[in-house]
Amino acid sequence: MKIAVCVSHVPDTATKVKVSSDGVSIDPTGVTYIINPYDEYAVEEALSTKEKLGNNSEVVVISVGSDKSKETIRKALAMGADSGVLLKDDNPRDSFAVAKALSEEIKAQGCELVFCGKQSVDYDNTITGQLVAEMLGYSCIPVIVEFNLEGNKITAEREIEGGREIVETVLPAVLTAQKGLNEPRYASLRGIMTAKKKTIEEKPAADAESLTEVLKMHLPPPKKAGRILGTDSSAVPELVSLLREEAKVL
Amino acid sequence: MANKILAVLEQREGQLKRSAFETVGMAAKLASELNLEVEAVVTGNEISNINDIGSYGISKVIHLKNPDFENYSSSGYRDAVTDYANESDADYLLLANTSMGKDLAPLLGVKLNAGCIMDCVNIDVSSGNLIATRPVYAGKALIDVKPKSAKIVITIRPNVFKPVPGGSSSPQIEVREISSPNLQTRVVEFKKAEGKLDVAEADIIVSGGRGMKGPEHFDLIEELADLLGGAVGASRPVVDAGWRPHSEQVGQTGKTVSPSLYIACAISGAIQHLAGMSSSKYIVAINKDKEAPIFSVADYGIAGDVFEVLPALIEEIKKIKA
Ligand SMILES: Cc1cc2nc3c(=O)[nH]c(=O)nc-3n(C[C@H](O)[C@H](O)[C@H](O)COP(=O)(O)OP(=O)(O)OC[C@H]3O[C@@H](n4cnc5c(N)ncnc54)[C@H](O)[C@@H]3O)c2cc1C
Ligand SMILES: Nc1ncnc2c1ncn2[C@@H]1O[C@H](COP(=O)(O)O)[C@@H](O)[C@H]1O
């Protein structure tokens, strides 16, 4: 079976966000980019599923983005993915358009099982995997922390408010990975060396229109520095009375 | 032109959730600002509190009913809601940004060829156009987004739009039995976390960090959270060390929360943690290091030893609750 993993190339979570001069995106100056943390779980799950399935399985990594996204594809190849595809697109597009490009490629490659992250830590949309599934007519289980495949039957656990759901579905399917699903492997030195030799196929991302438009990016109003009320429990009564009378939250 | 807003509501175990009333309230508000009709639709079996919707400004509710809808089924709910949205010619769909909303909204988006704007914290209407504001980079920035498609699916962040009950009129409830729903993807079991409130839904959160020194000291955090009717949160090292479950992690790779009150105990306030909680209405920090970055977002702080301050705080709260 051919398994696809969708990976996105995102600013490191330690990034201090500055708005770029275009007014709608972040200023990339000095920003380090990494593989989206949740996508590492997706890559790991694809690799371990491939190992379980054995022989005729392979893992293809797909990313929509600029040339820079190759770094992230390379990272997944170093972990052990078999091949990589960059769907080139230098213009930012909404999740709908990204999902359209991904789903066309997944269809062309004939992948029946797809892993995504549950969320990319840049735009926090949390929907790309579901959109891809729906565009392909595949089943979808988002935010999974456990995954089991038997024949074409999938049983997964997903985290929701106040507990976990056990969900059943069938292939073909898209799953989105949550922390806790697995422990992503480190790329071995050999993996890193082999990854350098693997070619990343490049093609233009399928044309698709965004259905939403970002008008403006802005920073949240800075919080005014608060008050330190004291250095020990003698400050507790004042704290409680402020919470009751000033903040009115108790 | 758009002619109808549909509030797509969530029930669990036969009860509409609090976020469902927030969705109703927002849908009613948008409908009046955009001069549109508004209806609510809920997928489920028996729903005990369905009448309560009347007090929040919507007079007609469509109940898409089937015994198998007692549990969530993304395929079944998607098809039932899509059919109704098409039939009623709804152009705006509004959901809460809960686990269910995040799953269902994009599926509906594709079916209806509608763009999705997720996790909105503000929705403005000016001269008939809608502009939604949503956090990105876990709240380090915000973006204003407008729909470009004729139809649009919007989810709103729970806990942000507090619904105000108005008069109480009984809504008109139209029950539609859904025959042979599509159960290709369905929940077969729900494992409830023992009676605990989820951080993402709590109005008060008491959170502990690495400075709590060990899992046993989270008794203090739990006691305070229980007294305040709140939930327990944790920083990432606490979760990574296995002191607390991952479901309690707050931050960029945990949950983004906006409670009325967030009490950070022995948490330094790393950028990834702040990203997940700095939009809380009031923040209290207890940390022995007065230079800790958490104090830069805290409204009130005590720069002291958590093991000395927390027991005193618990006693003081007990006094006022007594
Ligand atoms: C990709 C990535 C994602 C991340 N995502 C998250 C996330 O989602 N959430 C998150 O929280 N972190 C996240 N982090 C980790 C983050 O960078 C910090 O390491 C973490 O938030 C620190 O947790 P802490 O404040 O509990 O611990 P520390 O930074 O170790 O702080 C402990 C604090 O306790 C105080 N203290 C110690 N003893 C006492 C005492 N007796 N009384 C009072 N105060 C005391 C100390 O002064 C100190 O300020 C992420 C990191 C990365 C790289
Ligand atoms: N540009 C992209 N290229 C490939 N995969 C992506 C891209 N954007 C998002 N994804 C995938 O979709 C998941 C959820 O992203 P999002 O819906 O943007 O939060 C990510 O974890 C990735 O697996």
Side-chain angles (χ1 to χ4, degrees), chain B residues 136-258:
Chain B
V136 291
Y137 296 93
K140 291 177 203 167
L142 298 155
I143 51 175
D144 297 342
V145 187
K146 77 163 195 205
K148 279 174 65 185
S149 45
K151 297 188 180 190
I152 191 83
V153 179
I154 293 174
T155 68
I156 56 173
R157 174 171 292 193
N159 253 334
V160 173
F161 305 101
K162 300 275 156 64
V164 192
S168 66
S169 59
S170 288
Q172 175 200 343
I173 298 169
E174 186 181 319
V175 177
R176 297 201 177 189
E177 305 284 344
I178 303 296
S179 56
S180 52
N182 174 357
L183 300 177
Q184 175 163 314
T185 306
R186 69 183 206 286
V187 173
V188 291
E189 192 192 331
F190 177 55
K191 290 199 219 161
K192 206 169 180 168
E194 339 95 47
K196 292 276 186 246
L197 190 60
D198 193 89
V199 273
E201 297 190 305
D203 203 37
I204 294 184
I205 297 171
V206 186
S207 233
R210 180 147 54 192
M212 292 306 293
K213 306 271 191 310
E216 63 282 8
H217 298 131
F218 273 77
D219 286 0
L220 288 169
I221 305 277
E222 281 190 351
E223 188 176 358
L224 183 57
D226 283 349
L227 275 172
L228 297 171
V232 174
S235 68
R236 175 159 134 171
V238 163
V239 171
D240 285 351
W243 300 354
R244 302 299 301 183
H246 175 251
S247 55
E248 292 177 2
Q249 184 181 320
V250 172
Q252 191 153 11
T253 50
K255 288 180 176 146
T256 307
V257 298
S258 355

Side-chain angles (χ1 to χ4, degrees), chain B residues 38-96:
Chain B
V38 59
E39 286 175 4
V41 58
V42 55
T43 323
N45 190 26
E46 299 301 335
I47 301 167
S48 57
N49 57 345
I50 198 164
N51 271 307
D52 298 352
I53 292 172
S55 342
Y56 295 89
I58 289 190
S59 54
K60 185 173 174 199
V61 187
I62 316 300
H63 177 179
L64 306 171
K65 194 171 176 189
N66 185 286
D68 283 323
F69 282 167
E70 200 151 315
N71 275 336
Y72 179 56
S73 156
S74 56
S75 52
Y77 282 33
R78 172 201 63 200
D79 287 359
V81 175
T82 302
D83 286 348
Y84 186 73
N86 277 328
E87 176 195 319
S88 69
D89 229 351
D91 284 342
Y92 290 89
L93 268 64
L94 198 70
L95 295 86

Side-chain angles (χ1 to χ4, degrees), chain A residues 13 122-124 130 134 139 161 164-166 168-169 211 213 215-216 218 227 229-230 233 246, chain B residues 12 99 102 111 134 137-138 140 142 144 146 148 184-186 188-189 191 299-301 303 308:
Chain A
T13 55
D122 50 5
Y123 282 82
D124 297 326
Q130 297 91 302
E134 197 60 41
S139 321
E161 298 85 5
R164 285 178 174 202
E165 285 179 339
I166 301 179
E168 287 181 1
T169 194
L211 300 186
E213 182 184 340
L215 300 173
K216 188 174 161 207
H218 45 107
R227 275 179 275 167
L229 308 172
S233 58
E246 191 176 79
Chain B
R12 291 267 171 202
S99 295
K102 285 187 263 193
K111 280 274 186 271
R134 59 181 300 268
Y137 296 93
K140 291 177 203 167
L142 298 155
D144 297 342
K146 77 163 195 205
K148 279 174 65 185
Q184 175 163 314
T185 306
R186 69 183 206 286
V188 291
E189 192 192 331
K191 290 199 219 161
D299 298 277
Y300 312 118
E308 195 254 340

Side-chain angles (χ1 to χ4, degrees), chain A residues 5-9 36 38-39 42 62-65 69 95 98 102 115-131 176:
Chain A
V5 190
C6 305
V7 295
S8 66
H9 192 60
N36 181 40
Y38 296 105
D39 300 354
I62 310 174
S63 189
V64 178
S69 300
S95 303
V98 169
L102 290 169
F115 290 99
C116 290
K118 69 142 188 174
Q119 169 173 9
S120 41
V121 300
D122 50 5
Y123 282 82
D124 297 326
N125 277 313
T126 70
I127 57 174
T128 306
Q130 297 91 302
L131 292 172
T176 79

Side-chain angles (χ1 to χ4, degrees), chain A residues 7-68:
Chain A
V7 295
S8 66
H9 192 60
V10 298
D12 184 336
T13 55
T15 302
K16 291 211 164 68
V17 172
K18 276 194 259 100
V19 179
S20 108
S21 56
D22 69 9
V24 295
S25 61
I26 77 160
D27 179 353
T29 322
V31 174
T32 315
Y33 282 75
I34 55 167
I35 180 171
N36 181 40
Y38 296 105
D39 300 354
E40 288 191 59
Y41 304 111
V43 173
E44 175 59 42
E45 202 61 22
L47 294 174
S48 58
T49 304
K50 170 190 149 162
E51 284 154 10
K52 273 179 217 140
L53 292 171
N55 288 340
N56 285 324
S57 308
E58 61 172 283
V59 173
V60 50
V61 190
I62 310 174
S63 189
V64 178
S66 73
D67 259 339
K68 299 209 175 70

Side-chain angles (χ1 to χ4, degrees), chain B residues 78-130:
Chain B
R78 172 201 63 200
D79 287 359
V81 175
T82 302
D83 286 348
Y84 186 73
N86 277 328
E87 176 195 319
S88 69
D89 229 351
D91 284 342
Y92 290 89
L93 268 64
L94 198 70
L95 295 86
N97 198 60
T98 55
S99 295
M100 184 190 108
K102 285 187 263 193
D103 186 0
L104 197 55
L107 306 183
L108 296 169
V110 175
K111 280 274 186 271
L112 300 168
N113 197 33
C116 298
I117 310 180
M118 305 296 289
D119 203 23
C120 299
V121 293
N122 190 46
I123 304 178
D124 265 341
V125 173
S126 70
S127 49
N129 295 312
L130 176 153

